[in-house]
Amino acid sequence: MSEWIMLALQFFSDLGYIGIMLGLMVEVIPSELVLGYGGYLVGIGQLTFSGALIAGVIGGTLAQLFLYWAGYFGGRPFLLKYGKYVLIKEKHITMAEEWFERYGVAVIFTARFIPVVRHAISIPAGIAKMSHWKFLIYTVAAIIPWTVLFLLLGKLLGENWQEVRSFATPYIIPLTVLSVLFISGYIMWSQKRTPPIITVKKMNDYNRKG
């Protein structure tokens, strides 16, 4: 792990719960490391688990809200110009847009467990003017288990908390698979509920021609 990350984490740890929130809001350091280090601090008694959980959920939610607002008020051009400052590249935005267009609002929850996409999925939600409350509910529902997982792993690993990302892989893979299955099921359910508007239109056009 690079020296600057360790210095940043040490700075955030000195701020306690506020530090966890800031670390997640800035998003310069991967959230897994911030939460893993937070779990380590819980293990040595510097923080409580409930306090770290609350701080983690608030910080993670605010980070996604900032991206959502950037998409909502600034749009794609704004993010292409300034996204690099929060480590978001054009390919991340494009991929997130494709996922959002393909799977709809349900992806706001499920994409949190899928690498690359989860970092930028809030952007197309903002651009599409998704309901603030619906976005917030989906986001918090996904951030809670993510935060609990890495806090627990950081606590269990102790001084080896830096290995939290590799130790999390066996847990993230099932979450990813479940997320993909959930998206597939949601799409099938939505298609069954959606009236065949296109088919009806085509039939009307055919009747008029007849």
Side-chain angles (χ1 to χ4, degrees):
M1 187 180 300
S2 62
E3 184 178 351
W4 77 267
I5 291 181
M6 287 300 303
L7 289 174
L9 288 174
Q10 183 60 52
F11 170 76
F12 289 138
S13 70
D14 291 340
L15 298 176
Y17 303 110
I18 299 296
I20 293 179
M21 290 174 55
L22 290 176
L24 294 171
M25 287 166 58
V26 174
E27 288 223 359
V28 175
I29 305 173
S31 62
E32 303 96 306
L33 293 179
V34 176
L35 293 172
Y37 189 59
Y40 164 70
L41 295 178
V42 171
I44 62 175
Q46 188 169 331
L47 302 174
T48 66
F49 185 86
S50 59
L53 174 60
I54 293 172
V57 171
I58 292 175
T61 302
L62 287 175
Q64 295 306 314
L65 276 174
F66 291 149
L67 294 177
Y68 169 83
W69 287 329
Y72 194 96
F73 296 108
R76 203 175 199 275
F78 175 84
L79 287 155
L80 289 177
K81 185 175 181 179
Y82 298 105
K84 59 185 178 181
Y85 297 110
V86 288
L87 305 181
I88 293 180
K89 302 178 181 178
E90 182 175 3
K91 64 179 181 180
H92 299 147
I93 298 174
T94 300
M95 184 179 295
E97 287 176 334
E98 291 174 352
W99 274 70
F100 190 82
E101 291 174 4
R102 184 180 305 173
Y103 302 120
V105 297
V107 78
I108 299 301
F109 173 81
T110 54
R112 301 297 175 194
F113 310 106
I114 300 174
V116 182
V117 181
R118 67 181 180 83
H119 184 56
I121 196 59
S122 300
I123 294 172
I127 294 174
K129 309 298 183 184
M130 179 180 175
S131 163
H132 283 75
W133 284 111
K134 185 176 290 186
F135 172 82
L136 193 61
I137 291 171
Y138 277 116
T139 299
V140 172
I143 287 178
I144 289 174
W146 183 265
T147 304
V148 169
L149 172 62
F150 282 96
L151 285 177
L152 286 176
L153 287 176
K155 180 180 179 181
L156 292 172
L157 289 171
E159 294 183 356
N160 296 319
W161 64 268
Q162 298 180 36
E163 306 296 325
V164 68
R165 301 177 83 176
S166 59
F167 274 87
T169 301
Y171 302 95
I172 295 177
I173 290 177
L175 286 174
T176 303
V177 172
L178 288 173
S179 297
V180 172
L181 291 175
F182 178 85
I183 289 176
S184 301
Y186 178 82
I187 292 173
M188 293 176 63
W189 176 76
S190 298
Q191 289 176 343
K192 289 181 180 180
R193 287 174 54 89
T194 303
I197 298 174
I198 297 178
T199 303
V200 172
K201 183 178 183 299
K202 288 182 177 179
M203 289 179 63
N204 291 336
D205 291 341
Y206 176 80
N207 291 334
R208 281 196 294 268
K209 290 179 180 179

